[in-house]
Amino acid sequence: MNYEYIAGWITLMVHSSLAAVGLTAAFAHALAQQNISCNVIAGYYHDHIFVSDDDVQQALVILNNLGQAS
């Protein structure tokens, strides 16, 4: 079976309010700067990011660096 898009699933282990402003924008911007698209599901306890399977390792480095900067 051929799939059009195979994604890696990354869970952000940050508990944030659903009313918080800017979290999604911050990580989407950081990924976009490296030409990595993402699809996001915001959850009550954790946010989930789906990126192309080919980009998972680079996305993890970017997100970890973003977390270190906070």
Side-chain angles (χ1 to χ4, degrees):
M1 177 178 282
N2 293 326
Y3 297 97
E4 284 190 39
Y5 185 78
I6 299 174
W9 179 351
I10 300 170
T11 299
L12 297 182
M13 302 303 289
V14 175
H15 181 69
S16 63
S17 167
L18 290 175
V21 175
L23 177 61
T24 302
F27 64 72
H29 179 73
L31 293 171
Q33 286 183 314
Q34 297 300 316
N35 204 33
I36 298 175
S37 67
C38 64
N39 295 281
V40 181
I41 297 176
Y44 185 72
Y45 287 107
H46 305 292
D47 291 342
H48 306 279
I49 307 170
F50 297 89
V51 301
S52 172
D53 191 54
D54 294 335
D55 294 327
V56 171
Q57 294 306 315
Q58 184 180 3
L60 287 171
V61 170
I62 293 165
L63 295 170
N64 282 324
N65 288 338
L66 188 62
Q68 303 275 326
S70 303

